[in-house]
Amino acid sequence: MDRPKILVIDDEKHIRLLYKEELEDDGYAVATSDGEEPILELLKREKPQVIILDIRLGPDRCGLDLLQLIRNQGAHVPVILSTAYDTFQHDLKSIAADYYVVKSVDLSELKSKVRLALKAAKKS
């Protein structure tokens, strides 16, 4: 059986590695990106069932802009916004996301959102 694929986009290498290790331990296939690669090429190549997207991807890249590109392309992949800040909730661009998670060393909330997103993806 194919393992569901999750794409983790975060500019912090230790976060990408932590998420990859933890999610692979839960049985998922995980691809990672630092957000530098063009998002549409990345989606076409990886074909994820769920995307975990950091909002702040370095000084000149914003995850919310990538989220808009994903949605404008018509991709119906569930997107979980992951951030260390809760101010994103006040940005109108964030409404295109399916779920939100504030970064934590405890990944139980993130894993819960991944399960919800995969269930939602199967229904659509």
Side-chain angles (χ1 to χ4, degrees):
M1 188 177 122
D2 282 342
R3 298 184 304 161
K5 183 177 260 187
I6 300 168
L7 175 59
V8 175
I9 304 172
D10 198 299
D11 62 323
E12 295 179 60
K13 186 174 184 178
H14 69 279
I15 296 287
R16 291 194 308 269
L17 292 174
L18 173 66
Y19 287 9
K20 181 177 175 69
E21 186 177 294
E22 289 278 332
L23 292 167
E24 284 179 343
D25 284 351
D26 283 3
Y28 302 110
V30 180
T32 62
S33 170
D34 61 6
E36 293 293 322
E37 183 179 351
I39 187 69
L40 300 181
E41 290 175 25
L42 187 60
L43 292 180
K44 192 184 296 185
R45 185 182 74 232
E46 296 297 341
K47 298 177 179 58
Q49 275 86 43
V50 175
I51 299 168
I52 299 172
L53 179 60
D54 186 20
I55 290 182
R56 295 205 177 161
L57 294 169
D60 57 350
R61 298 200 47 86
C62 177
L64 294 176
D65 294 337
L66 294 184
L67 175 60
Q68 279 195 304
L69 286 171
I70 292 166
R71 293 301 184 231
N72 289 343
Q73 186 234 2
H76 298 292
V77 180
V79 175
I80 301 169
L81 283 181
S82 169
T83 181
Y85 312 92
D86 61 6
T87 55
F88 67 87
Q89 295 168 339
H90 306 297
D91 191 317
L92 285 178
K93 291 180 189 173
S94 70
I95 63 169
D98 298 281
Y99 304 97
Y100 307 93
V101 175
V102 176
K103 286 181 184 176
S104 165
V105 290
D106 176 3
L107 297 186
S108 56
E109 184 184 4
L110 177 70
K111 291 178 180 185
S112 168
K113 297 289 195 261
V114 166
R115 287 190 297 274
L116 286 172
L118 284 169
K119 269 189 204 163
K122 284 179 185 170
K123 289 180 185 174
S124 62

